[in-house]
C-alpha cells in the first residue's frame, strides 16, 4: 500500500478557463471539500469541467491528469466494493483512485485504475472496505499531453462486488457468460464489455469447474476440481501469476469455494456428505483453515455470508428431503463461537438451491429454482419478503450472476439444448438473451452444487 501525503491549501480559484468557455470551479474540486456520499450503493452524476489539480496532489493511476474532483464515503460494512465510471454515457477517459484515511487522518492509496480495457476508456476499481473507515474517491481526466486534459460529465457508481457469483473476466463490473467444455477441457468466456470470445485450455473430462477468485482485483481463476484424485488445479487468469495444484479431500467429497477466509476472495473447502464434515485448506503450511461437522448425507452445501459483517462465509446446507436450510454462523472464524445455528423451511424435494444476494444488501438470500415449473423463489434478507419469478424450463441450469453491474444478483438460466443464456436483469427487469455454448458444456457459476 502506497502512502501519499497531500499538501492542502485553501485556494480561491474564480473560474476554469478554456479556449471556448468559462466554467465555474466544481464545489468538490479540492480534497478538503470532497462531496459526501453514503450507503451500500450510489449512482450520481458529477463533472470535472473547470476542475484543477492541487499542489502536491498525487498522479492518480500513474497519469498526471489535471482536473480532479473528490468524493468522501464512510463504509457501512466490511465488504468488497466496486466503484466505477463505467455507466458514463460517453466513453469519457477518466482516472479513478480510492484512498483510505489512517489513524493520523492521512490518505493511503488503496487502488487506482485507468482504462477498463483498450477500447473502454472509463474506469473501475475493486477494493476491500473496512466498516467505519473513511474513503476518498478521486475522479480525474486523463492527460493526453501538451496541456490537454480530458473533462466532462460522468456517472460515479458504487456497489457491492459480486465476484463470488459468476465471473467478471474483463473487469467491467459485470458477470460474463462462461462455460467449461469437458470434451476438450476448454474454458470459453464471452466478455460483456466487448462481446469477444476467448478460450483457455485447462482441465479434462470429468473435472468440475470452480468459480474462484484468487486476487485482490476480483478477476477469476481457471480452476477445476478432479474427483478422481481429489485435486484442485488452479490457474489465475491474470498475467504472470503461477498455477497451483492442491490435493485435498477424499472420494465422495463435494468441493465448495467461497469466502471462507473472510477477505472476499474464494478459497477451497470440501463437504463430506458421509459424515457431515466441512474441511478447509490453507496453502500456507497446509494447515486446516476450518473444520466443522454440520450436515448429513443427502444435504447440498450452500455456503455464503448469510449474516454478520465480518466477511466470513457461513457453513450452510440445503436438505432436499425436507426443503430445509440449515445455517451455522462462524463470526470472525472463531471456532468458539460456532454455536449459533438456525433452520428455515424454504423449498421442497426437487428444488435447486440458488443462494445469492438478490436485494443488494450485502448478505446472501436463501433461494430455490424449481425446474418442474420454472419458478424462482427468493427469501430476501433485507426485509424477509418472498419474491417469486417464472423464468426457465425444466432442462435449464440456473446461472446466477450480476450481469448488469447494479450490485444485485440477476436471475439467469442456461439452456443446454440450445446453448442460450436467458438473463432477467435486476436493474430494469428487461430480458437479455445470448447464445453461447453447446450441449454438454457446464456454465460457470458460483452457486451450482454438483
Amino acid at each position: 500500500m502506497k502512502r501519499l501525503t497531500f499538501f492542502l491549501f485553501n485556494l480561491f480559484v474564480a473560474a476554469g478557463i478554456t479556449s471556448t468557455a468559462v466554467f465555474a470551479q466544481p464545489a468538490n474540486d479540492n480534497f478538503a471539500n470532497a462531496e459526501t456520499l453514503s450507503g451500500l450503493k450510489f449512482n450520481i452524476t458529477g463533472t470535472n469541467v473547470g476542475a484543477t489539480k492541487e499542489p502536491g496532489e498525487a498522479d492518480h493511476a500513474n497519469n498526471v491528469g489535471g482536473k480532479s474532483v473528490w468524493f468522501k464515503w464512510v463504509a457501512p460494512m466490511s465488504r468488497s466494493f466496486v466503484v466505477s465510471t463505467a455507466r458514463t454515457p460517453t466513453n469519457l477517459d477518466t482516472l479513478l483512485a480510492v484512498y483510505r484515511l489512517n489513524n493520523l487522518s492521512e490518505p493511503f492509496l488503496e487502488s487506482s485504475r485507468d482504462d477498463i480495457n483498450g477500447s473502454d476508456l472509463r474506469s473501475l476499481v475493486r477494493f476491500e472496505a473496512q466498516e467505519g473507515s473513511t474513503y476518498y474517491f478521486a475522479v480525474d481526466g486523463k492527460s493526453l499531453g501538451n496541456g490537454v486534459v480530458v473533462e466532462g460529465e460522468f456517472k460515479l457508481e458504487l456497489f457491492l462486488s459480486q465476484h463470488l457469483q459468476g465471473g467478471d473476466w474483463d473487469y467491467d463490473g459485470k458477470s460474463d457468460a462462461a462455460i467449461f467444455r469437458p470434451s476438450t477441457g476448454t474454458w470459453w468466456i464471452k466478455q460483456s464489455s466487448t462481446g469477444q470470445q476467448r478460450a483457455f485450455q485447462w482441465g479434462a473430462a470429468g473435472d468440475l469447474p470452480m468459480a474462484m477468485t484468487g486476487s485482490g482485483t476480483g478477476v477469476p481463476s481457471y480452476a477445476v476440481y478432479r474427483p478422481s484424485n481429489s485435486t484442485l488445479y488452479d490457474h489465475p487468469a491474470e498475467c504472470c501469476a503461477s498455477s497451483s495444484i492442491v490435493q485435498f479431500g477424499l472420494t465422495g467429497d463435494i468441493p465448495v469455494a467461497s469466502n471462507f477466509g473472510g477477505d472476499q476472495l474464494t478459497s477451497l473447502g470440501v463437504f463430506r456428505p458421509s459424515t457431515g464434515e466441512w474441511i478447509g485448506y490453507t496453502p500456507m503450511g497446509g494447515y486446516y483453515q476450518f473444520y466443522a461437522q454440520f450436515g448429513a448425507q443427502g444435504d447440498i452445501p450452500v455456503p455464503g455470508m448469510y449474516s454478520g459483517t465480518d466477511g466470513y462465509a457461513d457453513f450452510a446446507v440445503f436438505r432436499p428431503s425436507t426443503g430445509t436450510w440449515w445455517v451455522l454462523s462462524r463470526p470472525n472464524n472463531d471456532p468458539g463461537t460456532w454455536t449459533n445455528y438456525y433452520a428455515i423451511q424454504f423449498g421442497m424435494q426437487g428444488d435447486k438451491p440458488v443462494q445469492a444476494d438478490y436485494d443488494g444488501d450485502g448478505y446472501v438470500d436463501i433461494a430455490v429454482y424449481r425446474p418442474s415449473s420454472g419458478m424462482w423463489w427468493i427469501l430476501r434478507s433485507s426485509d424477509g419478503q418472498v419474491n417469486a419469478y417464472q423464468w426457465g424450463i425444466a432442462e435449464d441450469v440456473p446461472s446466477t450472476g450480476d450481469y448488469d453491474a447494479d450490485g444485485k444478483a440477476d436471475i439467469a438460466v442456461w439452456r443446454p439444448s440450445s446453448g442460450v443464456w436467458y438473463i432477467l436483469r435486476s436493474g430494469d427487469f428487461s430480458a437479455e438473451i445470448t447464445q453461447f455454448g453447446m450441449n454438454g458444456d457446464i456454465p460457470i457459476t458460483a452457486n451450482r452444487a454438483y
Side-chain angles (χ1 to χ4, degrees):
M1 194 180 297
K2 181 180 178 183
R3 176 173 179 173
L4 302 176
T5 303
F6 293 80
F7 300 94
L8 303 177
F9 301 89
N10 293 322
L11 302 177
F12 175 77
V13 179
I17 302 176
T18 70
S19 59
T20 57
V22 176
F23 297 95
Q25 181 184 17
N28 59 337
D29 184 26
N30 293 339
F31 176 86
N33 298 325
E35 180 180 345
T36 300
L37 304 171
S38 62
L40 284 174
K41 62 177 64 178
F42 55 73
N43 188 332
I44 64 166
T45 299
T47 179
N48 72 329
V49 176
T52 61
K53 184 172 184 176
E54 297 175 75
E57 183 176 334
D59 293 344
H60 310 298
N62 298 316
N63 182 275
V64 67
K67 291 181 176 291
S68 62
V69 289
W70 293 87
F71 301 87
K72 179 182 179 181
W73 173 77
V74 177
M77 65 166 55
S78 298
R79 290 299 300 273
S80 178
F81 283 85
V82 170
V83 61
S84 80
T85 60
R87 292 205 187 191
T88 302
T90 60
N91 196 19
L92 189 69
D93 198 350
T94 54
L95 308 171
L96 182 60
V98 178
Y99 299 90
R100 176 180 57 86
L101 292 187
N102 67 1
N103 294 332
L104 299 177
S105 297
E106 295 180 351
F108 283 71
L109 178 65
E110 287 285 327
S111 188
S112 64
R113 188 81 174 187
D114 186 357
D115 302 335
I116 289 177
N117 56 49
S119 59
D120 194 335
L121 306 181
R122 296 166 294 185
S123 308
L124 182 146
V125 172
R126 280 189 175 89
F127 66 102
E128 301 296 328
Q130 300 300 315
E131 183 178 2
S133 292
T134 300
Y135 294 85
Y136 284 83
F137 308 129
V139 181
D140 203 347
K142 190 169 187 175
S143 172
L144 305 179
N146 299 321
V148 178
V149 180
V150 174
E151 60 181 7
E153 190 174 83
F154 58 85
K155 291 279 189 180
L156 183 67
E157 183 173 26
L158 176 123
F159 53 88
L160 284 156
S161 176
Q162 301 295 343
H163 59 254
L164 297 178
Q165 300 162 6
D168 178 12
W169 303 85
D170 54 0
Y171 204 89
D172 67 346
K174 301 178 182 179
S175 295
D176 300 317
I179 57 95
F180 173 68
R181 187 160 295 163
S183 60
T184 60
T186 305
W187 294 64
W188 287 91
I189 314 296
K190 187 173 185 179
Q191 297 179 325
S192 57
S193 59
T194 64
Q196 295 180 343
Q197 300 180 16
R198 74 186 197 194
F200 187 78
Q201 206 287 324
W202 187 259
D207 289 350
L208 303 177
M210 307 290 292
M212 297 185 67
T213 302
S215 68
T217 64
V219 176
S221 296
Y222 302 105
V224 295
Y225 185 80
R226 189 162 296 167
S228 61
N229 60 6
S230 303
T231 300
L232 176 76
Y233 299 85
D234 185 19
H235 185 86
E238 290 185 291
C239 169
C240 310
S242 59
S243 58
S244 61
I245 300 175
V246 177
Q247 198 286 326
F248 190 67
L250 300 174
T251 301
D253 288 350
I254 300 175
V256 286
S258 193
N259 55 320
F260 294 115
D263 54 5
Q264 302 308 309
L265 307 182
T266 46
S267 54
L268 176 68
V270 295
F271 173 68
R272 190 161 294 162
S274 60
T275 59
E277 292 174 288
W278 292 75
I279 306 168
Y281 181 81
T282 299
M284 296 297 291
Y287 295 104
Y288 287 146
Q289 183 180 22
F290 56 80
Y291 173 86
Q293 190 164 8
F294 190 73
Q297 186 75 41
D299 289 350
I300 299 173
V302 288
M305 187 172 159
Y306 292 88
S307 60
T309 59
D310 54 14
Y312 288 93
D314 301 321
F315 304 130
V317 295
F318 172 65
R319 189 161 295 166
S321 60
T322 60
T324 305
W325 294 67
W326 292 85
V327 180
L328 174 65
S329 298
R330 46 191 295 262
N332 299 311
N333 198 29
D334 178 9
T337 64
W338 296 358
T339 58
N340 183 23
Y341 65 91
Y342 57 90
I344 294 178
Q345 206 288 324
F346 195 81
M348 65 182 191
Q349 185 76 43
D351 288 351
K352 295 182 178 180
V354 286
Q355 73 281 2
D357 183 10
Y358 295 95
D359 54 7
D361 67 346
Y363 301 109
V364 171
D365 302 317
I366 290 173
V368 295
Y369 171 65
R370 191 161 295 162
S372 60
S373 62
M375 290 295 297
W376 292 66
W377 299 88
I378 300 169
L379 177 61
R380 294 163 52 98
S381 58
S382 58
D383 55 16
Q385 298 298 307
V386 176
N387 291 150
Y389 304 90
Q390 204 288 324
W391 195 259
I393 59 178
E395 70 166 291
D396 291 347
V397 179
S399 302
T400 304
D402 186 7
Y403 297 95
D404 58 0
D406 67 346
K408 299 179 182 179
D410 301 317
I411 291 171
V413 296
W414 182 74
R415 190 158 297 167
S417 61
S418 60
V420 174
W421 297 69
Y422 296 89
I423 300 168
L424 180 61
R425 297 159 58 97
S426 58
D428 56 12
F429 289 98
S430 64
E432 179 181 336
I433 302 174
T434 182
Q435 201 285 326
F436 188 67
M438 63 183 190
N439 206 358
D441 292 344
I442 300 175
I444 311 301
T445 57
N447 61 3
R448 182 179 179 187
Y450 296 95

